Amino acid sequence: MENYLKLFKIGRNDKCYCGSGKKLKHCHYEVALFLKSTSKKTIEKDILLFS
């Protein structure tokens, strides 16, 4: 999630932010769609809860 927050725009054909080397559409595309619909502030708060 921290890698995701560093990115400004993610395209389906970009490498996945998880570091697997796969394209996003073949790796964590559904997760990226969910994160895109969630506010950055909420994501940062969740990261703090799990740290």
Side-chain angles (χ1 to χ4, degrees):
M1 287 178 57
E2 291 166 349
N3 288 341
Y4 176 80
L5 291 174
K6 292 177 187 174
L7 301 174
F8 293 101
K9 183 177 178 183
I10 300 175
R12 285 175 31 99
N13 290 316
D14 294 340
K15 287 188 177 181
C16 189
Y17 52 86
C18 76
S20 68
K22 296 179 182 180
K23 289 184 178 183
L24 180 64
K25 65 183 176 184
H26 295 296
C27 197
H28 285 97
Y29 184 65
E30 296 296 323
V31 174
L33 289 178
F34 172 76
L35 292 174
K36 188 176 182 180
S37 68
T38 306
S39 73
K40 185 175 180 178
K41 189 174 183 175
T42 301
I43 293 170
E44 289 171 338
K45 190 187 320 179
D46 288 347
I47 289 173
L48 289 175
L49 287 173
F50 290 101
S51 295

